[in-house]
Amino acid sequence: MRRLCLLVLATAWLGCGEAAPPPVPKVGPPVIKAEAAAPPPPAPSPRFSEVAREAGLATVLYAGGPDKDHILESTGTGCAFVDYDGDGRLDVFLVNSWALDEDPSRVRLKGRNALYRNKGDGTFEDVTERAGVGDDSWGCGVSAGDYDGDGLVDLYVTNFGPNLLYRNKGDGTFEEVGAKAGVADPGWGAGSAFFDADGDGDLDLYVANYIECTMEEVLAARRTTTWRDMVKVLDGPFGLRGGRDRFYRNNGDGTFTDATDAVGMTDAAESYGLGVLAADLDGDGDVDVFVANDSNPNFLYRNDGDGSFTEVGAWSGIGLNARGSAQADMGVDAADYDGDLLQDVLTTTFAQDNATIYRNEGDLTFQDVAIPTGLKAITHHALKWGCAFLDHDHDADVDVVIVNGHLYPQVDSSPDLKETYRQLPFLLRNDGGKFVDVSRDAGPGFQVAASARGLAVGDYDDDGDLDLLITAMDSPPLLLRNDTPRTGGWLKLRLLNKAGAPAINARAVITAGGKSQIREVRSGSSHQSQNSFDLHFGLARADSVERIEIAWPGGQTTTLKDVKPDQTLTVRQP
Amino acid sequence: MRLLFCVALVGALAVGGRDVRAEQPADPGGRESASAKSAAATYERLATTIIELNATEDELVKSILIGYETTAQRHLRIAGFNAERRGAHLEAAAAQIANIANEGDKSIQAVRQRLAKAGHTHNTDAETKEDYIWIDGKEKKALLDLASKIARADKDADLSALAAELTKTFDAAVKPE
């Protein structure tokens, strides 16, 4: 109550004066930061190059006004590496939002989503108009999956406003069927994921909704929160009403039914949902759902095997961090970082708080290992969004990439904060279960500072290693091509279901050089984004993959032996 | 929030009255004195109401926590003799204990979040800086660990000992400080 009175007094005081606003930082394209010359790293060192412009990815991704007066202007948009035309090459889908003017506050420009077709020579062509996906809603995120079982990858776009479902017609064009299909959720959608919740062979859909508010409130918002006693920044998420997440059950006829309550996924807390991870975290053959909530306890919905779920986040060790605190979780990914064939969960968080790895201890129990893995020390300062586990150097373990960028442009005007709006990304090399920051030795692509948000991982140039697609605020995307000198072999598995579409939540365990690794095909990734569906493995010096075991959705298995490395292997569900 | 407006109103009247009084000659009929007494008495009643409201909120939350603890203990007892549903009851007990740790289930947490934003806070945990009424950060951690232990208890686990541990931890957490 005392705090309330102080707030009233402070508000009254502020209303009396005409204090000059702090200088507004200019928001523009990412810039190369001058870094102190580092000694040459020992070979082999990672090397990424930023090639978005030369690859033809030019769409500017808008994100509200320059001051970011409302939190809607700060969460950014997602991106996807997805092969929409079935030619085997990864295309690019970018989600766009609007540019706002301030003073007077109004909509200046409505950005349009963009689809780029991979031409196969390292460049892309803009096919947005032809494909019919250039919607100009305020877009947020994207996930992919074949919801209608025709073997073609469809796209689900979350918006601030009704979400869109683009049905792939198979001729290079899409039809928007969100309302007709019953998934045009009108809230502020963030992360989403397709998965088969009930084992009936079709893909259901989970949508995380972030905050309940209106465009009128967005336009009327003013920065009233003083952050770290220095800069006035936007309000939220606290004080804003959280959006309720939704689960849509696929009716098998091209439509969905909101079955959120029926399956036990009622979001009574109205938490600020952002990241969605639909994965078989306990390896029991059905798909569980983890929701990364901003500033609220995370949810972990255990699939009880009959299409219903039990929320076990609170006692499983993954709802709160090791201190028992809810972090401002945003991005999420899962993979086995420590070689025990259990998928661990990575989450990203706000500045002055570390990213967290929840180590999977089996039976859906987790332990926060941010400190012993070194993640806390490396990531504490940055404000972190998109994230992924990936084997960037083919040494047969998963490393970590995290893209960063501050929420508040105003931090640039207060050097004492020691924060910057544009930040450099992290590349963390896995050294036996501990992570080493190799970002500054990872080539020029990792020296590009941006206020980054979305991240998708995939091999767009088909050279066997993983590249990075990154969205940045009020900028074109970044495309970080992996040019790391090859020292280890690789294998990409393209797992297709009976209809020929990506077999979402199929899992593959490969054994090469005596070491086993696990990956899972997933819809929805990182922060509001979609990774390539291909499963990528680094093989180190193994000259053969001794064994591949694939667990398909529905329980079938496939075993392959003595597979040659350095190839993309397509395996179809029998 | 309504209380806040009352406080602001009383404050504004008091400040405004003082300004007016400064410009007026001495009050011949003693109205000034009566007004001051009335304002003080009103404020006194308001203070009593605020204090009572806070105490009521404390007791309300405590009663909610007692409800969780009672339910958790019941699930533990049933788990002890219902081998078929043992796992489900242990998980249900764990969920209730997690509710204690968080000072409320999801619905209650949403209410607390609204209150916190409105400036209505209680105690601040020294380590986590989080607001709490009864369960501080250390107790929260202990309860979450206990919840996890109970959820994962195998068939040989001593449920009576776990129940006793819950009682001890809970009683220590909700006793007046």
Side-chain angles (χ1 to χ4, degrees), chain A residues 27-30 52-53 56-64 68 76-79 92-100 108-116 126 128 135-137 139 451 470-478:
Chain A
V27 178
R53 183 188 292 262
L57 302 180
T59 298
V60 174
L61 303 173
Y62 298 101
K68 314 297 177 203
T77 58
C79 55
V92 164
F93 185 79
L94 302 171
V95 184
N96 212 340
S97 62
W98 298 355
L100 302 181
R108 178 164 61 84
L109 190 156
K110 293 184 178 181
R112 295 160 74 87
N113 301 332
L115 179 65
Y116 287 90
D126 187 339
T128 308
D135 182 73
D136 66 355
S137 304
S451 198
I470 300 167
T471 60
M473 303 287 276
D474 302 295
S475 305
L478 308 174

Side-chain angles (χ1 to χ4, degrees), chain A residues 392-403:
Chain A
H392 80 275
D393 51 3
H394 295 175
D395 64 350
D397 58 24
V398 287
D399 313 295
V400 165
V401 61
I402 298 174
V403 299

